[in-house]
Amino acid sequence: MAGFLREHSWSLAFSVLLHAALAAALVSVALVNVTRSPPSLQPLPVDAVVVDAQALRSAQRALAERAAQEAARVRAAAEAAAAASAAETAAAEQQRAEEAAKVVAAAEAAKAAVAANQLRAKQADEAKAAEAQKAAAAQHAAEQKHAEDARKAEDARKAEEAKKAEEAKRAEDAKHAADAKAKAEREAELRRQLAEEEHVSAVESSPAKALYLARLSSRIQNAWIKPPSARAGLDCIVNITQLPGGEVTNAHVTQCNGDAAARQSIENAVLKASPLPDPPDPALFQRNLVIHFHPDE
């Protein structure tokens, strides 16, 4: 409607002005005819049309009514066009408002989406940071444990080395002490043996040994029972094994000029004479003795 008024505004205005001008001309002619005085000259015959005033007023009223109707029609059209324009404007405003609301809603949604994405990104970054921190803490703990284990292992190794060194030192000291003791014992034993040998040599070269052997022979002869087959000049060698204290454990005749009965009688006499008398000097004691048995002397 607003477009129609804009397109026909000049024609509507021209129509209204034309009708108004025609009405004004008719009114002016009527007024002139009524108020003008008749001329003094003789009227000339005029070929004219007599206008009735009532008819003129009727025509004027008709023109005025048509002009009023046209104006009312134009006003109604203008009002309708204005109402339509207002409705269109309101609809357009409502549409623009709805579109603006949609834009705002879309912007808010986009903003919310951006905020949600940012929040998710922040949460992801925080989760990554937490995982990284956790991994770093775990690695640090592992490194500390590894370092602690390495330190303990090193301490244990050093302690073991120190223990082994101490044990080796003690073993070395003990070995040195044992060697020194063994050397001292060997030297003491050697000195004792030398002294004993010297003493034995001295004792054996002294009359004490001959006296000891004579006592042994006399003890055996006193225990001997001469067999009937024994002949004069019996001469035998007897090997005797004795224990400290003189207890005889074995007697065996190795060389003898007598018979078996004589040999057995001599061995029986040695066993019967047990225990043998102690030597006058312990250096003269011998576990294995060799006695020359010849009873006739």
Side-chain angles (χ1 to χ4, degrees), residues 15-208:
S15 176
V16 171
L17 291 175
L18 179 61
H19 284 81
L22 180 58
L26 293 174
V27 170
S28 297
V29 171
L31 291 175
V32 170
N33 291 326
V34 172
T35 59
R36 185 175 60 185
S37 60
S40 58
L41 298 178
Q42 292 293 326
L44 295 175
V46 178
D47 187 8
V49 177
V50 179
V51 178
D52 187 2
Q54 188 176 358
L56 179 61
R57 283 194 296 271
S58 296
Q60 289 176 350
R61 282 195 302 269
L63 287 176
E65 289 176 358
R66 284 197 297 271
Q69 290 176 358
E70 184 65 23
R73 187 182 65 79
V74 171
R75 283 196 301 272
E79 290 175 357
S85 177
E88 290 180 358
T89 302
E93 289 294 333
Q94 184 177 2
Q95 185 177 2
R96 284 196 296 271
E98 291 176 356
E99 291 177 354
K102 290 181 181 179
V103 171
V104 171
E108 291 295 332
K111 184 178 179 181
V114 171
N117 291 332
Q118 290 177 349
L119 179 60
R120 286 194 294 270
K122 182 179 179 181
Q123 291 175 347
D125 292 339
E126 290 177 352
K128 288 181 180 179
E131 288 294 330
Q133 186 176 4
K134 183 177 179 182
Q139 183 178 2
H140 181 65
E143 290 176 353
Q144 284 186 335
K145 185 177 183 302
H146 180 71
E148 183 66 17
D149 292 342
R151 184 186 64 78
K152 289 181 179 179
E154 182 65 16
D155 292 343
R157 184 185 66 80
K158 289 181 179 179
E160 184 66 20
E161 290 180 353
K163 181 180 179 181
K164 289 182 179 179
E166 182 65 22
E167 291 177 352
K169 185 177 182 301
R170 285 199 299 267
E172 187 68 19
D173 293 342
K175 183 177 182 299
H176 289 164
D179 292 343
K181 182 179 179 180
K183 182 179 180 182
E185 290 177 351
R186 287 194 300 271
E187 292 177 351
E189 180 64 18
L190 182 59
R191 287 193 298 270
R192 187 190 64 77
Q193 291 177 358
L194 291 175
E196 185 177 351
E197 289 176 0
E198 291 176 356
H199 179 68
V200 170
S201 179
V203 170
E204 287 182 350
S205 62
S206 67

